[in-house]
Amino acid sequence: MSAPYPQKPQILSRQEVARSRLFNVEQLELRFSNGEERIFERLTGSDHGAVMIVAMPDPEHVLLIREYAAGFEDYVLTLPKGLVDPGEDIIGAANRELMEECGFGASSIEPLAELSLAPNYMRHRMQVMLATDLYPKRLPGDEPEPLIVETHAIDELPALLARDDFHEARAIAALYIARDLLRERREGLDLW
């Protein structure tokens, strides 16, 4: 039996300490239920959310994009992704991002999971979407250069993990979630 969660800390103060085009840094002064007080900083961003798309051009393959990652100062292989625009739902955002980044739309898009990254420091959540029944359709995007689209077998994830250019944790988790769901469906064990 797990222990009950303690009472959430009381927020004594909240202030923005920095702002950029993409991020805000917020400082929270907290008092925990045991009386301890701490100051935490976290990144905040768009409250509209974000999507990451596992796009399947056929039942065995997934589309990955090669894009420049400024954090690593190098090109990385990852899944198409982007922010949900104001007034847009996650299905529409996923289809738009897929058209912008890969040149395909999807007749079928379904949510798979919600992922976070470094929840102690970021409020960001990303909806992982499975896109199937693809058709050619390109929309102009906001990327500074054309993205390279590659097709990889979804059952060969260990080979992708062995590469130096494929290491984004959310993309790795999304591919394993999609792969396992697709296997369950093929085997008639649709547990989702």
Side-chain angles (χ1 to χ4, degrees), residues 41-190:
E41 290 182 348
R42 67 179 184 173
L43 287 176
T44 62
S46 167
D47 287 329
H48 302 291
V51 292
M52 176 174 271
I53 305 101
V54 178
M56 309 285 299
D58 62 60
E60 289 85 34
H61 294 90
V62 63
L63 299 179
L64 297 174
I65 58 170
R66 181 174 306 284
E67 67 180 343
Y68 186 75
F72 282 90
E73 300 178 11
D74 204 355
Y75 286 88
V76 298
L77 195 60
T78 189
L79 290 170
K81 61 190 167 303
L83 296 176
V84 177
D85 288 340
E88 193 175 43
D89 65 17
I90 60 174
I91 303 286
N95 212 17
R96 177 185 48 76
E97 287 292 341
L98 185 57
M99 291 176 194
E100 290 175 0
E101 296 189 0
C102 295
F104 288 96
S107 296
S108 176
I109 299 178
E110 63 181 291
L112 292 182
E114 180 178 81
L115 301 177
S116 66
L117 182 67
N120 285 359
Y121 303 102
M122 299 173 71
R123 192 175 66 188
H124 185 71
R125 295 173 190 254
M126 180 164 277
Q127 305 299 319
V128 177
M129 312 296 284
L130 177 63
T132 56
D133 195 13
L134 304 185
Y135 55 89
K137 173 86 187 235
R138 172 139 331 256
L139 289 177
D142 58 0
E143 277 68 44
E145 63 184 358
L147 300 177
I148 297 168
V149 180
E150 299 183 11
T151 304
H152 291 270
I154 196 162
D155 282 333
E156 295 178 11
L157 292 179
L160 274 173
L161 289 173
R163 295 173 58 133
D164 290 339
D165 61 350
F166 182 73
H167 45 72
E168 184 181 0
R170 297 174 303 177
I172 293 166
L175 287 175
Y176 274 103
I177 291 166
R179 184 202 65 182
D180 291 352
L181 171 67
L182 294 168
R183 281 182 179 173
E184 289 170 1
R185 287 181 178 172
R186 278 194 305 265
E187 295 168 6
L189 301 173
D190 194 357

